[in-house]
Amino acid sequence: MAMQNQKVREWVDEMARLTKPDRIVWLDGSEAENRRLLAQACESGELIPLNPQKHPGSYLHRSDPQDVARTEHCTFICTEKREDVGPTNNWLPSGEAKTLLKGLFDGVMRGRTLYVIPFLLGPRHSPFSKVGIELTDSLYVAVNMRIMTRMGEAALEELGESGDFIKGLHSTGNLDPQKRYICHFPEDKTIYSINSGYGGNALLSKKCAALRIASWLGREESWLAEHMLIMGIENPQGEKIYIAAALPSACGKTNLAMLQPDGKFKGYRIFCVGDDIAWLRPGRDGQLYAVNPEAGFFGVAPGTNFQTNPNMMKTISRNTLFTNVAMASDQRVWWEGLELPKDGEILDWQGRLWDPTLGWKAAHPNARFTAPIRQCPIYAPEWDRPEGVPISAVIFGCRRSTIVPLICESFHWQHGVYLGATMSSETTAAAAGAVGVVRRDPMAMLPFCGYNMADYFDHWLRIGRQLKRPPRIFRVNWFRTDEKGKFIWPGFGENIRVLKWIMDRCHDKVDCLETPIGRLPLLQDLDLEGVGVDPAGLRQLFEVDPEEWLKAAEEQTEFFSLFGTRLPGELLKEQEFLVARLRSRKGEHLPSV
Ligand code: GTP
Ligand code: SPV
Ligand code: MN
């Protein structure tokens, strides 16, 4: 590959002097190169070829059992000043971090190959887009990056002679979890990641560059980098809007992004622009525009099947890399949520002979697939549009078994930012640590915001002031449970009913019920025919208990106080207004369904 860019070359040389690989291979992203890398990965055992009839062009990767999810306790933002990263990020002073990392990376690639992976985040010739270069000693990372980003020549052409690119150095090292570091230096757009080969820890384009570094750049350049899906929705009348939705990790973005409407909602069409990350910026016309910086899905496998997500099942039918799923004896993949094969053996995600009586799951709960967005049957060609798509509605969703209603609309932008900022959600297997614990996760960005979240909230407020036609902001919760712990709302394809209401609100077609926490649907406007939720369930899905919410508002005080005087006063005002509205309705149960 013609490698003319002097700045890139100098940096690669410098990193090679540090890590001392046996050879350096520059990747161009071509078909032939990909075939070669896949063959090498099969030879080394990093990939296992799957059944070529059932899964053409697809492979299985089994990660180290200690390396199966993002590790937030090993993730740092490294800056000069601690205040710049705020109370919700792990901080290291940049000088100290650099010394530590230089030690860890010294000679780490001896005997290995260093792959140089140029990648473009966003469409070509777009004001949104950014170029990055990842250096890695992992073949698995290299073949994943080709799916997840616009990788190779396109990125270098876009960069030209410029030295303005995001730098990422990654090594699997020895996978020692005690010496695992994922360090971000937003002040020089650099990422160092060592001793993990997994997902968001190792595919540096994803959470490290497109969210942590990008959010910092977004604040400087007046745009937003968000943990959001982007989807188009067209109603039977042919009206179309775009929605961006933030939900925490493993809380339903991928599924919502390619929802398949069924039954009486067959006339609605969904278009998938992205499933995990959105970059948003005010356009000249005063609307908010979004692009998906990525080119592939790195999605949760368990639970994915033809009932829950038929579009994804079709997307991953070929050219897909599977990580930590189980495998049947005919080299077919399997995970919880799919039908058990009638005969033959199953090997679990660690390659052990498995059967359902053993008491553990065959696929790791955070098992994933990597597949190109272009293979999605409802892929939106607008994905490649340099100006992005105009956003009419923003959704902040959470996973809460109690208190938070199915859907609620904010009164205005500032109140919407408050709804996002006060989000809490139950933890999932996407990150190492306990699962099912409620924690604050503002805008689903707690693990991904590269700077002080108080400044981040302020930035959201500022962006709102730049918009002539700001999107409406909604909050959703698909995960409310009944007394037996069962989900009340069927979710998945049935979420179209909620999207329809959102769309009707955007078109001013339906009214709403004003409650202290926000605007709820009038039940006649939310088409619930045939949804299969009994009246008691419906009551729970839409109940607003002022007493409970007063307690919740009190708990926000503790969170807000972490930020001291840096917290925007607007959020404290919204909290005061909420408390006042709730007090005036104390003792009532709202709304009565
Ligand atoms: P990340 O890739 O980690 O950011 O996750 P995500 O937000 O894209 O979540 P995803 O769509 O992969 O869903 C995660 C889990 O939630 C899967 O096990 C899904 O089956 C489940 N899930 C998704 N949507 C729904 C829903 O509407 N209802 C219920 N009950 N579960 C859902
Ligand atoms: C998430 O955890 O939100 C993911 C997977 O999308 S990872 O790439 O590991 O961040
Ligand atoms: Mn995610």
Side-chain angles (χ1 to χ4, degrees):
M1 176 169 42
M3 188 49 248
Q4 305 298 344
N5 187 309
Q6 185 69 20
K7 304 270 176 18
V8 175
R9 251 201 332 238
E10 280 167 16
W11 177 64
V12 173
D13 287 347
E14 188 191 334
M15 293 301 107
R17 277 197 298 277
L18 172 65
T19 57
K20 306 178 180 63
D22 279 11
R23 64 198 85 71
I24 300 177
V25 173
W26 295 74
L27 299 188
D28 61 16
S30 68
E31 245 334 295
E33 172 187 272
N34 190 43
R35 273 198 298 275
R36 200 177 70 236
L37 296 180
L38 289 168
Q40 273 170 28
C42 290
E43 213 167 288
S44 71
E46 281 162 277
L47 293 181
I48 300 167
L50 291 166
N51 185 320
Q53 271 79 50
K54 309 283 186 207
H55 303 290
S58 302
Y59 301 83
L60 166 65
H61 171 75
R62 293 193 185 118
S63 77
D64 184 279
Q66 304 262 37
D67 187 27
V68 294
R70 284 182 294 101
T71 42
E72 295 176 4
H73 61 288
C74 316
T75 302
F76 295 86
I77 310 292
C78 311
T79 55
E80 294 294 321
K81 291 201 286 286
R82 174 173 224 143
E83 311 86 86
D84 289 340
V85 314
T88 59
N89 277 311
N90 300 316
W91 176 73
L92 280 174
S94 33
E96 196 180 301
K98 272 185 192 148
T99 309
L100 171 85
L101 289 163
K102 291 241 157 80
L104 288 169
F105 273 98
D106 190 1
V108 75
M109 293 191 189
R110 263 196 201 100
R112 302 185 187 183
T113 302
L114 183 157
Y115 298 97
V116 181
I117 308 175
F119 58 92
L120 175 64
L121 295 173
R124 294 214 50 188
H125 316 302
S126 164
F128 284 85
S129 297
K130 301 281 177 201
V131 172
I133 314 264
E134 175 164 358
L135 310 182
T136 180
D137 55 12
S138 161
L139 260 177
Y140 169 78
V141 167
V143 290
N144 271 275
M145 287 291 287
R146 183 169 184 272
I147 299 176
M148 291 309 298
T149 65
R150 296 149 167 105
M151 190 266 256
E153 288 290 6
L156 288 180
E157 277 171 29
E158 198 74 18
L159 185 62
E161 287 302 302
S162 164
D164 183 17
F165 58 96
I166 298 169
K167 306 175 180 75
L169 177 65
H170 167 254
S171 171
T172 50
N174 59 7
L175 297 179
D176 181 354
Q178 303 304 319
K179 296 204 173 118
R180 188 168 293 164
Y181 287 90
I182 297 93
C183 290
H184 306 70
F185 297 82
E187 285 151 333
D188 35 349
K189 295 197 217 174
T190 304
I191 305 147
Y192 289 85
S193 165
I194 190 160
N195 292 325
S196 168
Y198 193 85
N201 286 345
L203 309 175
L204 301 186
S205 62
K206 203 169 173 52
K207 298 309 179 14
C208 301
L211 286 179
R212 298 196 190 95
I213 299 288
S215 60
W216 180 289
L217 298 178
R219 183 187 44 167
E220 287 177 345
E221 300 165 4
S222 245
W223 52 281
L224 295 162
E226 297 298 324
H227 193 200
M228 288 179 172
L229 67 91
I230 308 167
M231 69 198 295
I233 167 168
E234 189 180 297
N235 67 14
Q237 297 80 54
E239 296 160 320
K240 187 170 178 181
I241 63 165
Y242 295 92
I243 295 176
L247 293 110
S249 301
C251 290
K253 287 182 299 300
T254 300
N255 281 274
L256 188 61
M258 54 190 77
L259 177 156
Q260 182 64 51
D262 235 330
K264 64 184 294 197
F265 292 91
K266 271 214 165 86
Y268 282 80
R269 288 181 67 192
I270 304 292
F271 304 87
C272 178
V273 184
D275 82 321
D276 198 52
I277 299 178
W279 286 358
L280 304 146
R281 60 171 67 202
R284 265 191 230 113
D285 59 0
Q287 292 190 86
L288 189 64
Y289 283 80
V291 302
N292 170 13
E294 303 192 282
F297 306 123
F298 184 63
V300 176
T304 307
N305 60 45
F306 275 102
Q307 283 72 52
T308 55
N309 194 346
N311 287 317
M312 188 53 98
M313 292 302 284
K314 290 174 199 153
T315 306
I316 60 178
S317 65
R318 59 193 197 280
N319 309 325
T320 298
L321 304 174
F322 293 92
T323 302
N324 293 341
V325 300
M327 186 171 69
S329 35
D330 58 352
Q331 276 79 50
R332 233 194 301 181
V333 295
W334 190 81
W335 51 75
E336 280 71 18
L338 292 176
E339 230 171 278
L340 262 180
K342 295 209 176 38
D343 41 43
E345 289 168 341
I346 287 189
L347 299 179
D348 75 1
W349 64 278
Q350 297 189 60
R352 300 171 301 192
L353 202 56
W354 179 90
D355 74 74
T357 63
L358 280 170
W360 70 76
K361 298 210 154 120
H364 189 277
N366 192 35
R368 301 244 167 191
F369 45 73
T370 318
I373 186 170
R374 280 204 167 93
Q375 287 185 188
C376 181
I378 57 164
Y379 154 79
E382 304 91 291
W383 165 77
D384 218 14
R385 215 192 258 169
E387 69 274 24
V389 295
I391 298 296
S392 300
V394 163
I395 298 176
F396 292 120
C398 59
R399 181 187 282 267
R400 290 296 305 270
S401 55
T402 60
I403 188 162
V404 180
L406 181 67
I407 169 82
C408 153
E409 183 190 335
S410 66
F411 299 117
H412 42 69
W413 183 268
Q414 178 171 305
H415 180 237
V417 172
Y418 168 79
L419 289 187
T422 53
M423 237 169 81
S424 48
S425 196
E426 289 152 26
T427 52
T428 65
V435 168
V437 181
V438 178
R439 70 166 183 186
R440 292 277 157 206
D441 191 351
M443 280 109 164
M445 281 289 278
L446 178 76
F448 309 121
C449 183
Y451 61 104
N452 192 320
M453 279 199 121
D455 301 346
Y456 168 75
F457 301 145
D458 191 52
H459 186 48
W460 262 87
L461 293 168
R462 261 192 297 157
I463 293 282
R465 287 193 286 272
Q466 288 177 37
L467 297 170
K468 275 203 289 289
R469 278 185 286 161
R472 289 175 184 245
I473 300 180
F474 298 84
R475 172 188 262 174
V476 302
N477 176 25
W478 313 140
F479 299 96
R480 189 126 181 190
T481 53
D482 63 15
E483 295 68 29
K484 295 192 198 96
K486 259 193 63 200
F487 292 123
I488 300 171
W489 181 250
F492 301 103
E494 300 293 358
N495 293 332
I496 185 68
R497 298 169 191 263
V498 175
L499 294 181
K500 174 185 182 293
W501 187 73
I502 290 174
M503 192 170 187
D504 289 345
R505 288 291 300 161
C506 290
H507 288 143
D508 284 317
K509 285 186 185 164
V510 292
D511 211 344
C512 64
L513 182 75
E514 303 265 336
T515 81
I517 64 164
R519 298 168 166 159
L520 265 65
L522 296 163
L523 277 202
Q524 71 263 22
D525 297 328
L526 196 64
D527 194 331
L528 291 173
E529 194 193 318
V531 76
V533 181
D534 63 22
L538 282 184
R539 213 170 305 122
Q540 276 176 296
L541 285 178
F542 296 103
E543 119 192 300
V544 179
D545 177 351
E547 302 275 351
E548 244 182 351
W549 276 100
L550 276 169
K551 254 183 268 152
E554 234 166 79
E555 285 161 17
Q556 290 163 12
T557 306
E558 203 181 315
F559 176 66
F560 279 166
S561 68
L562 288 177
F563 299 97
T565 53
R566 210 143 162 163
L567 188 84
E570 287 93 334
L571 296 187
L572 291 173
K573 278 232 177 65
E574 286 299 330
Q575 189 194 21
E576 268 170 46
F577 294 152
L578 169 68
V579 169
R581 289 192 301 263
L582 287 166
R583 288 219 174 107
S584 73
R585 307 291 290 267
K586 227 167 153 175
E588 289 179 54
H589 267 260
L590 302 160
S592 43
V593 189

